[in-house]
Amino acid sequence: MSSAFAAPADAELVALVKRHAEAQATFDQAALKAITADNYAEVSPLGEVDSREKMLSFYAPELKRPAPQLQVDEPQVRVLGDSAVIYARLNFIMGSGDAARTFAMRAGYVAQFKDGKWLLVSAQYTGIRPPKN
């Protein structure tokens, strides 16, 4: 891929990460399957390495529970030929009003451009400590 392709790819890759995060939040197993490669693996916030099959089973429709509000921001994209690294901040709000609880994670993704589309091949999540008061 030429560097001229990188700018449109940046927007496409950020959209891919947002679709992935939203599919997780809504337990959209079909979307997760469509946007992850067969060899996808992820490192959970607890440090566990999960295969694509394990990740997909976690998002089975019968396991769906209320999802927090989600915002994906601070994206950084690095396109390296037919691969890309994407970092983003995932902000979550659970509950509402005085009972609302917020937390954030930094997520790192690797995507591969294959057969005319980008697919995620890995993700890693790291919790962000809340600021000290």
Side-chain angles (χ1 to χ4, degrees):
M1 258 181 260
S2 70
S3 60
F5 186 72
D10 286 6
E12 188 177 350
L13 288 160
V14 170
L16 176 65
V17 163
K18 287 181 178 182
R19 279 195 314 273
H20 185 259
E22 290 166 9
Q24 287 179 322
T26 60
F27 280 64
D28 187 342
Q29 199 178 49
L32 289 167
K33 191 171 188 178
I35 61 177
T36 56
D38 291 340
N39 62 344
Y40 174 88
E42 70 179 32
V43 179
S44 77
L46 300 176
E48 298 169 347
V49 179
D50 296 333
S51 66
R52 181 177 189 234
E53 293 75 26
K54 185 172 180 183
M55 178 272 298
L56 289 171
S57 70
F58 182 84
Y59 294 103
E62 63 272 11
L63 299 176
K64 186 175 181 177
R65 54 192 172 271
Q69 294 177 28
L70 170 65
Q71 180 182 355
V72 178
D73 60 14
E74 300 178 11
Q76 296 181 26
V77 178
R78 306 290 184 270
V79 177
L80 310 161
D82 64 353
S83 298
V85 177
I86 309 100
Y87 297 108
R89 180 183 171 109
L90 308 178
N91 299 296
F92 299 91
I93 301 173
M94 297 181 74
S96 61
D98 291 342
R101 185 173 76 93
T102 63
F103 63 97
M105 287 191 286
R106 188 69 61 186
Y109 303 88
V110 177
Q112 182 179 32
F113 192 76
K114 188 174 180 183
D115 299 328
K117 65 180 178 178
W118 288 101
L119 293 175
L120 292 176
V121 295
S122 72
Q124 180 166 353
Y125 303 97
T126 303
I128 298 173
R129 286 186 213 160
K132 292 182 179 181
N133 294 331

